[in-house]
């Protein structure tokens, strides 16, 4: 029962955030995607491979390069989303 109540609160909070943001919900989702999805999809796999599987120097260089590139791109996309917040009004 507590699991269902917590889900209810999460859905309610999400609905309230979207209602409160109104027309800016798409911009919020873009920032949220840049902040949360980029690490999960691109940075963490390379970092975990580096930590757990990389044996050769070339594997380590590739993993660290991927982490660096995707970190820069994630920060760049977040900055673009924040800068775009008030445009178009």
């Amino acid at each position: 029962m507590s699991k269902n109540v917590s889900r209810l609160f999460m859905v309610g909070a999400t609905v309230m955030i979207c209602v409160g943001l109104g027309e800016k919900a798409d911009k919020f989702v873009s920032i949220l995607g840049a902040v949360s999805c980029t690490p999960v999809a691109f940075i963490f796999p390379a970092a975990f491979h580096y930590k757990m599987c990389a044996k050769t120097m070339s594997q380590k260089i590739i993993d660290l390069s991927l982490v660096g590139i995707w970190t820069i791109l994630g920060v760049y996309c977040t900055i673009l989303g924040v800068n775009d917040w008030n445009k178009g009004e």
Side-chain angles (χ1 to χ4, degrees):
M1 184 65 172
S2 65
K3 183 169 46 171
N4 290 334
V5 171
S6 68
R7 288 179 183 166
L8 175 70
F9 283 123
M10 289 300 292
V11 170
T14 303
V15 168
M16 296 307 291
I17 289 171
C18 287
V19 168
L21 290 172
E23 296 294 322
K24 294 184 181 186
D26 59 334
K27 296 174 184 177
F28 175 73
V29 170
S30 70
I31 294 170
L32 185 65
V35 170
S36 62
C37 295
T38 301
V40 170
F42 301 110
I43 297 172
F44 293 161
F48 293 155
H49 184 269
Y50 173 78
K51 194 71 170 165
M52 295 170 32
C53 300
K55 302 284 188 238
T56 65
M57 185 59 75
S58 64
Q59 288 177 336
K60 292 178 181 183
I61 290 171
I62 291 170
D63 287 338
L64 290 177
S65 299
L66 287 172
V67 168
I69 290 167
W70 285 110
T71 300
I72 291 168
L73 286 173
V75 169
Y76 176 71
C77 291
T78 303
I79 291 170
L80 282 179
V82 170
N83 286 338
D84 192 43
W85 188 265
N86 287 322
K87 289 184 181 174
E89 289 184 32

